[in-house]
Amino acid sequence: MLKNDLILRAAQGEKTERTPVWLMRQAGRILPEYRAVRNSLSGFKELVETPQFAAEVTVQPVDILGVDAAIIFSDILVIPEAMGLTYEMVEKKGPHFPKTVRNESDIQLLKVADPSDLGYVYEAIKLTKKELDGRVPLIGFAGAPWTIFSYMIEGGGSKTFSKARRLLYSEPALADKLLDMITESTIGYLKNQVAAGADMIQIFDSWAGVLPTEHYSKFSLKYISKICDAINDVPVTVFAKGAWWALPEMKDINCRTVGLDWNMDPKEARKTLPNKTLQGNLDPCALYGSNELIKEETKKMLAAFGDHPHIANLGHGVYPDTNPEKVKYFIESVKELSSH
């Protein structure tokens, strides 16, 4: 039994005694405790792939920051890795794929991920659940197929994602083939996360905002929708960063919660998505401000969501140089200002 199930009730659209709050990237570089664990290892990948350490850093923000949910410490790129395309994490630069997918023969070298190849993630979930002992729910996650596809084609982050986008125009059938493989891999992976104990799932579409509207429906939302249809025993959140124009289409997909980034207007989203819980969407940079400012901005954010079912969060992951005390102050402000 969960002692604090606020976030699950909010996701189901129920009235809650206060607004639940958690943060994307809450387990990470902002916490000195996280850095201590990370520095004792060879690097990021060892941390992701060692269940006891992944579980330890997953629980830290619950103890230190007082958030209403933990999110398993992992990476969206474990999926391409399990499909046969390995990545490395380059310090201060981010992910890098030494080999990328360029054509049909590259795709033939890949496979639909066998969920058992990702056993370390399920093990970390089981350990985390034991450690949390029902204090708060645990969120599992995966990247949206389009975002994963982008990394596999580009080989890393990009300003334009022009290689990945070019393929949608030049070889749409090939793009669909790879997107299908990623989708199938992701469904198996998420089902296993739920079986291991994840109480909720979030799909991160980090590069949603680079696509034109028509392509977003065809090459992203279609596949996200397939994943949402397959995961029906826990609430699912879809966070498509930058895709404000896709909100009307999200009304019809099988997710319970839609995440908003800081450029999206909660008042508009409430009108567009009367049937969904909304999550977000304080600008992460507000946490560089004074406590008075943080409280003021939090108050404005809560007012903008009004009485619509809401899970408080930032509009993106917390930035690595943010002072943990400011993060804590934001969390306490949400709790204080939303209690009724």
Side-chain angles (χ1 to χ4, degrees):
M1 273 302 288
L2 285 164
K3 299 181 186 69
N4 171 353
D5 63 352
L6 277 173
I7 194 167
L8 299 181
R9 285 187 285 134
Q12 298 298 0
E14 293 173 28
K15 284 261 178 279
T16 50
E17 46 281 26
R18 67 169 173 79
T19 304
V21 56
W22 71 282
L23 286 93
M24 294 180 271
R25 296 212 187 116
Q26 62 188 14
R29 290 173 290 183
I30 59 160
L31 298 176
E33 293 83 352
Y34 163 86
R35 284 198 298 271
V37 176
R38 162 89 188 255
N39 292 342
S40 70
L41 302 168
S42 64
F44 176 83
K45 278 187 85 171
E46 189 184 351
L47 179 47
V48 166
E49 290 164 12
T50 316
Q52 84 218 56
F53 294 126
E56 184 182 342
V57 298
T58 299
V59 177
Q60 283 173 349
V62 178
D63 296 334
I64 300 162
L65 302 170
V67 284
D68 291 311
I71 181 164
I72 194 65
F73 187 83
S74 184
D75 196 273
I76 62 172
L77 301 179
V78 299
I79 280 287
E81 179 126 278
M83 290 173 69
L85 203 70
T86 51
Y87 74 101
E88 44 199 46
M89 203 46 98
V90 184
E91 199 58 53
K92 305 244 186 315
K93 271 212 172 121
H96 170 69
F97 285 87
K99 190 177 177 326
T100 56
V101 174
R102 293 175 309 273
N103 50 37
E104 174 79 49
S105 57
D106 291 335
I107 291 180
Q108 297 203 311
L109 298 172
L110 303 173
K111 59 174 185 142
V112 167
D114 186 326
S116 65
D117 290 340
L118 293 154
Y120 57 88
V121 180
Y122 321 135
E123 195 47 45
I125 288 174
K126 287 177 188 156
L127 288 174
T128 303
K129 287 288 284 191
K130 211 150 109 194
E131 187 62 35
L132 285 172
D133 194 26
R135 281 179 291 163
V136 296
L138 177 62
I139 303 169
F141 72 91
W146 156 250
T147 287
I148 300 294
F149 173 96
S150 304
Y151 278 114
M152 291 171 84
I153 306 287
E154 298 281 342
S158 159
K159 280 199 170 69
T160 58
F161 288 97
S162 55
K163 290 180 190 150
R165 285 168 47 215
R166 171 188 184 167
L167 205 65
L168 306 184
Y169 287 102
S170 60
E171 298 192 67
L174 195 67
D176 275 323
K177 188 174 182 178
L178 181 54
L179 285 162
D180 259 325
M181 289 174 76
I182 297 167
T183 302
E184 219 180 306
S185 303
T186 304
I187 288 170
Y189 175 49
L190 288 175
K191 280 182 178 288
N192 276 273
Q193 286 191 35
V194 173
D199 301 292
M200 199 172 182
I201 291 295
Q202 177 152 317
I203 298 168
F204 285 89
D205 202 357
S206 313
W207 308 125
V210 303
L211 289 177
T213 318
E214 195 187 322
H215 273 179
Y216 191 67
S217 307
K218 215 159 96 183
F219 295 109
S220 187
L221 218 46
K222 178 174 113 186
Y223 294 101
I224 289 175
S225 191
K226 276 186 186 170
I227 296 170
C228 292
D229 287 344
I231 308 294
N232 33 35
D233 22 16
V234 299
V236 176
T237 301
V238 173
F239 175 60
K241 186 176 178 302
W244 51 269
W245 28 256
L247 292 183
E249 282 191 76
M250 290 192 182
K251 195 170 152 203
D252 305 319
I253 66 172
N254 227 334
C255 66
R256 280 296 324 141
T257 302
V258 172
L260 306 182
D261 67 40
W262 72 92
N263 290 320
M264 295 178 183
D265 178 0
K267 294 192 183 78
E268 278 303 301
R270 284 163 59 183
K271 275 188 265 188
T272 311
L273 298 165
N275 59 333
K276 305 285 186 200
T277 296
L278 298 172
Q279 176 175 283
N281 75 332
L282 190 81
D283 181 352
C285 286
L287 300 185
Y288 294 126
S290 65
N291 283 359
E292 294 71 37
L293 178 106
I294 292 170
K295 194 167 212 170
E296 194 45 47
E297 292 297 321
T298 304
K299 198 175 185 168
K300 276 194 250 175
M301 173 190 75
L302 291 168
F305 285 97
D307 57 3
H308 193 99
H310 178 216
I311 296 164
N313 205 315
L314 301 177
H316 193 227
V318 58
Y319 296 145
D321 59 350
T322 310
N323 177 345
E325 289 308 315
K326 300 284 188 187
V327 176
K328 213 165 163 176
Y329 190 76
F330 165 63
I331 290 160
E332 283 160 6
S333 300
V334 171
K335 291 179 179 179
E336 180 200 326
L337 295 166
S338 68
S339 295
H340 40 252

